[in-house]
Amino acid sequence: MLIQILLVLGFVLALWITWKRYRQDVITLIEALGWSVLCVGGGVISLLPKLTEYLAAIFGVGRGVDLILYAAVAIQFFLIFKLFVSHEKTERLLTKLVQNGALKDLSFRPEEQERWSGEILVNQDSSTRHTPSE
Amino acid sequence: MKVIGVVPAFKEETRIVNVLRAYLAYFDEIVVVDDGSSDRTAEVARMERVHVLRHAINRGQGASLRTGTLAALKLGADVIVHVDADGQHDPKDLPNLIKPILEGQADVVLGSRFLGVEATGMPLLRRCVLKAGRWFNILALGIPKKVTDPQNGLRAMTAEAARRIDFHQDGKAHASEILRCVTRSGLRWVEIPAHIIYTQDSLNKAGTNRTSDAFRIAWHLFIGVFTK
Ligand SMILES: Nc1nc2c(ncn2[C@@H]2O[C@H](COP(=O)(O)OP(=O)(O)OP(=O)(O)O)[C@@H](O)[C@H]2O)c(=O)[nH]1
Ligand SMILES: [Mg+2]
């Protein structure tokens, strides 16, 4: 069937890219093997869909397609969760950056301090205090 | 003893000036953290006798409090007080808040809306959400039942306690995170009654929906468990 040919071609392409990336030193051997297992598994199931019926029977799920759907949902759930966590990490890094930027402005601001204490002194005992100009 | 107030402020240009003037009588110094407001919060605060730090972009109340607390430590604070910029906290509570620390009886003092002093104008729904939130804090986070108001933003702590309280929640979940840390660290803590004022102005504050906040807080605490 056409869909089978397309799927197998897709998996072969993915397999080829995976090993190309390994040779380019982009991914480690373990990662390459992991992806290869997924691609080969996908290819085999595309060619022999009946296989999933046996697997489904082992897991006690009705149909082979159902098993694939359940697995897909579980995997996506896991991936989305990881995405949330890594997003939170990025947010915290961003906060750190923003905080460092804000704290840089914490000069102890001598001129400001002077202005303040000046004000306070003027306010509190303006009658007795002499300003430098006097 | 140098007492420094840390005031996080997000879009508070219309409220913050009066609030700061009222606080100045109680603090040696004040650190305002403008949380990337798009209004003139920082500018109007700079007119007062306070330090003003500015987040380049909005990072939330928790993040602002952490920035302010770090700044207060750098300024040599002995006591650090977290207090809101929107006028919901009553400045008259500040002496009571700081007293247990000055007398050496506590390392951390927490304000509570539920210890006898009635909050002014608190909507019923808010009261229910806060009560439910308290049970969430007890059951899900293991915050002692003795804490009557885990969501209260009014707190005072010694510099030593501030250094030990390690919190990373940027949003409103910081309150629970701080509490968990305080109640498990061997720090001596105490809750005191605090008068919180709800006005139409405070309830209408732009972009706020407190009931959905509750779910957001729970979610952030959950994700936070997996984020180190
Ligand atoms: N909402 C909000 N407040 C922030 C933020 N950053 C700093 N703040 C300040 O944090 C303080 C508390 O914020 P509020 O939104 O009033 O929250 P709250 O007082 O705990 O809740 P209410 O009782 O409903 O007012 C105020 O002083 C805000 O200006 C932010 O990103 N969002
Ligand atoms: Mg408020």
Side-chain angles (χ1 to χ4, degrees), chain A residues 10-22 26-43 75 78-79 82:
Chain A
F11 282 119
V12 169
L13 183 69
L15 199 63
W16 181 67
I17 293 177
T18 304
W19 287 96
K20 189 170 145 186
R21 293 286 176 265
Y22 170 65
V26 178
I27 55 175
T28 64
L29 183 61
I30 304 284
E31 284 169 328
L33 286 174
W35 285 111
S36 301
V37 168
L38 283 182
C39 292
V40 172
I75 290 171
F78 175 73
L79 289 180
K82 285 211 22 165

Side-chain angles (χ1 to χ4, degrees), chain B residues 7-12 33 35 58-61 64 83-86 88 113 126 151 172 196 198 202-203 205 208 210:
Chain B
V7 184
F10 181 55
K11 297 190 185 164
E12 306 283 10
V33 181
D35 196 15
N58 180 245
R59 297 313 296 156
Q61 187 187 6
S64 312
V83 65
D84 283 358
D86 56 4
Q88 285 192 284
R113 281 164 271 210
R126 183 69 50 84
Q151 247 25 75
K172 295 211 182 294
I196 310 288
Y198 292 83
S202 84
L203 292 169
K205 236 159 55 171
T208 49
R210 291 355 155 96

Side-chain angles (χ1 to χ4, degrees), chain B residues 1 14 35 41 45-46 52 56 65 73 86-87 107 114 119 130 133-134 150 153 157 169 190 198 200 208 211 220 228:
Chain B
M1 285 282 218
T14 55
D35 196 15
T41 299
R46 285 213 169 92
V52 179
L65 283 171
L73 287 172
D86 56 4
D107 302 309
F114 302 113
L130 286 170
R134 172 161 173 254
M157 65 198 86
Q169 288 287 352
V190 61
Y198 292 83
Q200 213 43 51
T208 49
T211 312
H220 276 294
K228 269 290 129 349

Side-chain angles (χ1 to χ4, degrees), chain A residues 81 84-86 88-96 98-109 112-113 115-117 119-120, chain B residues 29 46-57 59 63 66-67 70-71 74-75 168-170 219-220 222-224 226-228:
Chain A
F81 185 76
F84 268 120
V85 171
S86 84
E88 181 74 16
K89 279 185 189 157
T90 316
E91 290 264 332
R92 289 187 183 188
L93 270 175
L94 187 58
T95 297
K96 190 113 212 79
V98 170
Q99 281 176 325
N100 288 346
L103 283 167
K104 238 179 246 142
D105 289 348
L106 181 75
S107 52
F108 296 79
R109 280 191 286 170
E112 283 273 6
Q113 295 274 355
R115 198 192 90 209
W116 300 356
S117 43
E119 265 175 20
I120 289 174
Chain B
E29 285 177 40
R46 285 213 169 92
M47 309 295 287
E48 303 303 310
R49 206 161 47 75
V50 300
H51 301 270
V52 179
L53 299 181
R54 195 172 143 73
H55 282 177
I57 52 175
R59 297 313 296 156
R66 196 158 62 253
T67 305
L70 289 171
K74 282 192 183 177
L75 291 167
H168 297 280
Q169 288 287 352
D170 289 341
W219 172 250
H220 276 294
F222 174 69
I223 287 293
F226 303 93
T227 315
K228 269 290 129 349

